[in-house]
Amino acid sequence: MSHFSVVPGAAVSSVLAQAHQDVLRIVADTYLAHEQGLSVNPDSYFLRFPDKPNARVIALPSYLGAGVDTIGMKWIASFPDNIKEGLPRASATLLLNDYATGYPLACLEAAGISAVRTAASAATAAAQLITAAEPVRLAVIGAGVIARTIIDYLHAAGVRVADVLVHDLDTTSAGHLSEHAKATFGAPVGIGTLDDALARDLVVFATTAATPYVPADTALRPGQVLLNISLRDIAPELLLGCNNVVDDIDHCLKAQTSPHLAEQLTGGREFINGTLGALLRGDVTLDPDKPTVFSPFGLGILDLAVGHYVLQEARRRGTAVEIPDFIGETKRW
């Protein structure tokens, strides 16, 4: 009962490096479990700072049954100014607790866990939503760690890509992501404008935008798929002409996301077609004459499920650091 593990970033990265198929399976299973009510995923809690308006730290508490039976809390910081110093924007830890006793089990470095669960969510949606028989023309808007990881997971999920266009205001980042996309897909890759990107078959948004910049009159087409991963890029009016799939309706329609703005604009949620879990179950009907937008708020149960897997693997490999007697008192009397 006093046993506690710490899983450092290097150990986490080693587990995740070859775990793409496992992570895709875990993420799909977690969405299905959530759809069946086998989870508890309350609101995220945002800590903000008056003198750092673009920075935040978010707490994501959760519980997942479905064979995992673990409690967790992801504590993730997003400091966009880090990018100017060549540092990753996000850093995170994940605390896991035993469901039987509530006692802490482990602390994991979790920036990589957060990135892969986000990417696997995006790739799972893309694999479900793409209907074209031929390889898609892919655009990635935003060239950071999340974009890089999404490219890896699109490839792992079997999404076939004809060519790739990268758009980022930072040309250095765009160049790095272009090289990564070329190495991953073995397809032609270019750097282009926002308008060029928005014309592609599959458009990935992975930016730090706080307010929409994609205009309401942007011409989208039937069958086009937009992965709205950063949530605040697209004008809400544009969503109203699309099929809309989210990870969780209550979660996604909060915090001034594009779907939240669309709800405020219309006074209702009728524009939402359903969740990814329902889509995986075959319970969502989409209009083939419309483009489709997937907007995931990011559920703590995904971090919990992937973290649970990483902990088991790290313990099996002997790369988890065990701290004996972490719990001070193990008996009441």
Side-chain angles (χ1 to χ4, degrees):
M1 187 176 291
S2 59
H3 198 61
F4 186 82
S5 304
V6 174
V7 187
V12 174
S13 297
S14 178
V15 170
L16 293 177
Q18 305 300 323
H20 294 72
Q21 297 305 320
D22 285 332
V23 172
L24 285 165
R25 171 184 53 78
I26 289 165
V27 164
D29 287 349
T30 302
Y31 277 124
L32 290 169
H34 185 59
E35 196 70 20
Q36 294 163 26
L38 302 176
S39 63
V40 180
N41 200 107
D43 287 346
S44 302
Y45 298 88
F46 288 73
L47 175 63
R48 300 185 184 274
F49 314 97
D51 61 339
K52 289 178 177 279
N54 67 340
R56 63 182 188 266
V57 190
I58 313 172
L60 291 82
S62 62
Y63 161 75
L64 179 63
V68 177
D69 281 332
T70 302
I71 305 163
M73 167 78 86
K74 180 173 74 168
W75 181 240
I76 182 164
S78 174
F79 279 56
D81 289 349
N82 286 356
I83 295 169
K84 292 181 284 190
E85 306 299 324
L87 299 171
R89 172 188 58 84
S91 59
T93 53
L94 176 66
L95 187 67
L96 301 181
N97 293 68
D98 178 58
Y99 185 53
T101 64
Y103 278 42
L105 292 172
C107 181
L108 299 86
E109 195 279 328
I113 291 170
S114 185
V116 302
R117 68 82 149 143
T118 302
S121 172
T124 299
Q128 289 290 314
L129 294 172
I130 292 169
T131 57
E134 64 275 4
V136 296
R137 304 191 72 199
L138 169 66
V140 183
I141 299 171
V145 171
I146 297 299
R148 182 185 74 206
T149 314
I150 289 172
I151 283 173
D152 292 340
Y153 272 83
L154 287 173
H155 183 259
V159 174
R160 295 183 304 131
V161 170
D163 58 22
V164 184
L165 184 141
V166 175
H167 173 73
D168 195 291
L169 300 178
D170 183 292
T171 55
T172 302
S173 295
H176 285 308
L177 189 68
S178 297
E179 291 301 316
H180 183 75
K182 186 175 182 180
T184 302
F185 291 116
V189 180
I191 297 173
T193 66
L194 178 62
D195 286 344
D196 292 337
L198 293 172
R200 293 301 181 102
D201 305 320
L202 176 63
V203 183
V204 176
F205 293 94
T207 74
T208 57
T211 54
Y213 57 88
V214 176
D217 61 354
T218 300
L220 302 177
R221 64 180 184 278
Q224 198 172 5
V225 175
L226 289 77
L227 302 179
N228 184 27
I229 307 307
S230 39
L231 289 174
R232 296 171 179 86
D233 305 72
I234 304 171
E237 295 88 350
L238 197 55
L239 295 186
L240 301 180
C242 300
N243 297 306
N244 286 277
V245 177
V246 300
D247 54 355
D248 180 284
I249 295 173
D250 288 335
H251 284 273
C252 197
L253 274 64
K254 284 189 176 79
Q256 304 302 305
T257 63
S258 294
H260 187 205
L261 296 176
E263 180 188 32
Q264 294 173 47
L265 196 65
T266 62
R269 298 179 169 187
E270 292 78 13
F271 64 95
I272 302 289
N273 295 76
T275 64
L276 180 54
L279 185 71
L280 290 167
R281 289 174 57 172
D283 295 338
V284 176
T285 302
L286 302 177
D287 185 343
D289 294 327
K290 292 182 177 180
T292 299
V293 179
F294 172 58
S295 301
F297 195 76
L299 302 177
I301 49 172
L302 298 177
D303 301 279
L304 175 57
V306 175
H308 179 266
Y309 164 82
V310 170
L311 174 62
Q312 303 310 312
E313 274 296 297
R315 283 178 168 171
R316 186 182 66 80
R317 297 179 183 195
T319 54
V321 179
E322 305 301 337
I323 303 178
D325 303 320
F326 180 78
I327 305 297
E329 293 190 24
T330 57
K331 295 181 179 180
R332 288 189 68 205
W333 299 107

